[in-house]
Amino acid sequence: MRWSETYIPTLKETPAEAEIASHRLMLRAGLIRKLAAGTYSYLPLGMRSLAKVTAIIREEMEAASVREVLLPALQPAELWKRSGRWETMGPEMIRFKNRHGRDTVLGPTHEEVITDLLVGEVRSYRDLPKNLYQIQTKFRDEPRPRFGVIRSCEFLMKDAYSFDRDAEALEKRYRRMFEAYETIFKRCGLNTIPVEADTGVMGGDDSHEFMVPAGSGEDTIVQCAGCGYAASKDRAAKKLGVEIQEGVACPKCKKGMKLLPAIEVGHIFKLGTKYSAALGAAFLDEAGQSKPIIMGCYGIGVTRLLPAIIETHHDEAGILWPVSVAPYPAVIVPLKISDPAQAGLPEQVERELTEAGVECLLDDREVSAGVKMKDADLIGFPIRILLSDKTLQKNSAEVKFRGEAEATLVPLTELLQQVKKRA
Ligand code: ATP
Ligand code: MG
């Protein structure tokens, strides 16, 4: 892929509105642009990383036997009235009357819609379990949209829902999803701490949030250095019955606990029968008795993953993408190649890498060497391949891994092999 054939509007200046590193870097590296408060466009580089993240999520959901669906964002208010959340959701839920005067909702979440989908079709214990997920835009009129796509009013979520016959089956499913979440976040290069969490407006009995420790995080978690117990601050406050400060006693081992700022990237809940009972999603058990289906729900803030990755992977010069989610693992930077015999070499390298399955971007812009190098660091391609008169005199390319201080001269004959090892 050629730089000139895509759209990467990088910025030299730091946008005034951006308060935290990931927001600044996503704007400066040309990943996103703001349309209005809480709404963002994803540009080609942002889309590529988003596609990497969603591919990882889809692979792990499929591996956990969860199947993909796509549910409507436009939802009739009637469903929300039946679950009781028409009242409890508050002004965060975007509501309007359609042209026929019917109250309508732009889905902030999908428990109601997915539960209704099973009513009358899943009838017997033989039809269970069912595990479904979608990756879809959610709408929430957030009181304070901020930090770019960390808290926006329109964002991509992966939401999965499980339907089981009893608490034991739900427990097994919950554990399986917990494991899938740990794998997903690890593959995205994120270190997460799973914490006990409050169930809030979702309802249900048990819940965990997956938190990425980061100085800019809006949430606070408490973690025990002794036994590893971790909880969200709200949950810990409820459990300890005190207000929570640094050094407060761990409810399990009584050692002092630490307070850490963190970004919530995922949230899983054992919902129980709250939605199935309200919406009539029932099944006949082996004794022929009608019972409400036992549910769980499992969310990941897909678009929030990008800033969470960047918050924990950057330096003063720009982003340091993990290879697994980089928009392109490699960038080819040709600098002043005066020998006409070498003129087509950058294109040839691009072709060979692409054919070998290494996604790369060829910086074919007519701009200074300084601009090309700065943009490569800013965007944070994991591998930079530099071709210049100097390197070509030695039949070599200069290869530098982002985040490592030293560059190495690699003979052109070994370039593909060396790059493939790290891409
Ligand atoms: P928060 O406490 O951050 O508002 P939440 O508890 O409302 O999150 P859930 O309803 O559990 O979030 O949504 C699942 C995931 O969606 C969250 O873990 C988070 O990563 C992401 N998410 C929630 N709200 C937003 C938002 N406004 N913008 C971007 N991502 C969001
Ligand atoms: Mg919220």
Side-chain angles (χ1 to χ4, degrees):
M1 175 66 69
R2 314 271 162 97
W3 198 299
S4 62
E5 291 173 352
T6 179
Y7 180 50
I8 311 175
T10 56
L11 302 173
K12 273 202 219 82
E13 307 301 328
T14 297
E17 80 212 63
E19 300 163 65
I20 62 170
S22 60
H23 190 189
R24 280 196 293 276
L25 290 171
M26 288 186 83
L27 290 168
R28 285 194 54 214
L31 303 181
I32 56 167
R33 283 293 179 268
K34 178 173 162 179
L35 176 64
T39 60
Y40 284 83
S41 305
Y42 291 82
L43 310 190
L45 288 187
M47 274 311 289
R48 288 188 67 95
S49 282
L50 210 49
K52 300 273 169 87
V53 163
T54 51
I56 290 172
I57 294 174
R58 284 195 167 97
E59 279 174 28
E60 297 304 328
M61 284 298 103
E62 289 295 330
S65 307
V66 192
R67 305 300 169 217
E68 188 166 12
V69 294
L70 182 61
L71 305 171
L74 279 178
Q75 308 175 3
E78 184 257 346
L79 263 184
W80 292 82
K81 288 178 182 161
R82 279 165 57 204
S83 74
R85 288 208 291 184
W86 179 254
E87 278 79 35
T88 54
M89 284 302 278
E92 207 171 294
M93 187 153 81
I94 299 176
R95 307 156 203 243
F96 59 95
K97 281 191 195 300
N98 72 5
R99 62 164 64 193
H100 303 294
R102 289 191 195 108
D103 283 324
T104 307
V105 162
L106 276 182
T109 177
H110 278 74
E111 284 75 17
E112 281 78 356
V113 173
I114 196 125
T115 307
D116 184 60
L117 190 67
L118 268 65
V119 173
E121 308 218 42
V122 166
R123 292 161 202 233
S124 143
Y125 68 93
R126 287 188 207 89
D127 301 327
L128 296 172
K130 287 281 168 272
N131 293 290
L132 303 169
Y133 79 100
Q134 64 170 344
I135 294 177
Q136 197 227 24
T137 302
K138 301 286 188 248
F139 297 89
R140 294 183 184 180
D141 195 354
E142 293 280 354
R144 265 194 89 195
R146 61 183 191 147
F147 299 156
V149 297
I150 284 195
R151 184 165 299 284
S152 47
C153 297
E154 183 183 327
F155 60 95
L156 270 188
M157 195 199 284
K158 185 288 295 177
D159 44 326
Y161 304 88
S162 64
F163 301 87
D164 282 293
R165 53 195 285 187
D166 55 30
E168 201 185 325
L170 169 62
E171 179 62 33
K172 251 168 112 180
R173 172 47 40 185
Y174 191 82
R175 286 288 127 205
R176 181 65 189 89
M177 295 302 276
F178 196 107
E179 279 167 24
Y181 272 44
E182 290 189 312
T183 310
I184 288 167
F185 298 132
K186 202 179 281 163
R187 287 185 63 188
C188 291
L190 284 171
N191 254 328
T192 50
I193 303 178
V195 305
E196 280 186 14
D198 249 358
T199 50
V201 72
M202 286 294 173
D205 347 292
D206 204 355
S207 157
H208 285 86
E209 287 168 341
F210 289 80
M211 296 293 205
V212 176
S216 57
E218 284 184 297
D219 287 290
T220 306
I221 60 171
V222 291
Q223 194 184 28
C224 174
C227 69
Y229 170 81
S232 70
K233 198 176 168 193
D234 294 350
R235 166 79 173 191
K238 273 193 193 157
K239 213 164 169 164
L240 294 173
V242 293
E243 238 344 297
I244 295 292
Q245 307 165 12
E246 185 84 23
V248 69
C250 171
K252 294 218 163 135
C253 74
K254 305 291 175 243
K255 289 220 172 84
M257 299 206 292
K258 269 189 320 198
L259 257 61
L260 289 175
I263 301 168
E264 178 194 325
V265 288
H267 200 166
I268 61 177
F269 300 79
K270 287 183 197 161
L271 289 174
T273 58
K274 173 173 168 166
Y275 299 94
S276 50
L279 299 169
F283 70 102
L284 293 177
D285 71 6
E286 276 159 300
Q289 261 201 340
S290 177
K291 289 190 169 155
I293 303 176
I294 313 274
M295 290 174 58
C297 76
Y298 314 85
I300 291 181
V302 178
T303 36
R304 188 183 279 184
L305 285 177
L306 299 190
I309 293 165
I310 296 170
E311 279 301 316
T312 50
H313 297 80
H314 71 271
D315 61 16
E316 325 74 58
I319 304 168
L320 286 106
W321 285 112
V323 170
S324 60
V325 289
Y328 294 89
V331 63
I332 303 161
V333 183
L335 297 182
K336 197 171 80 60
I337 298 175
S338 41
D339 180 356
Q342 305 275 23
L345 188 70
E347 287 77 7
Q348 190 191 323
V349 170
E350 186 228 328
R351 241 187 345 263
E352 282 174 11
L353 286 177
T354 306
E355 277 165 16
V358 179
E359 296 167 359
C360 57
L361 189 67
L362 169 60
D363 191 350
D364 61 346
R365 293 175 299 167
E366 286 182 25
V367 294
S368 73
V371 167
K372 287 188 179 182
M373 308 292 249
K374 278 212 170 88
D375 277 352
D377 279 350
L378 172 63
I379 293 165
F381 304 99
I383 305 166
R384 189 187 73 195
I385 302 161
L386 197 133
L387 297 163
S388 67
D389 277 350
K390 231 168 95 185
T391 69
L392 293 178
Q393 273 158 21
K394 295 188 176 145
N395 275 321
S396 298
E398 186 207 88
V399 176
K400 187 176 174 299
F401 298 102
R402 182 79 175 84
E404 291 177 14
E406 298 303 318
T408 43
L409 219 50
V410 175
L412 290 173
T413 49
E414 289 168 29
L415 183 63
L416 182 59
Q417 197 195 349
Q418 293 288 330
V419 169
K420 255 194 110 168
K421 266 195 231 161
R422 301 275 298 260

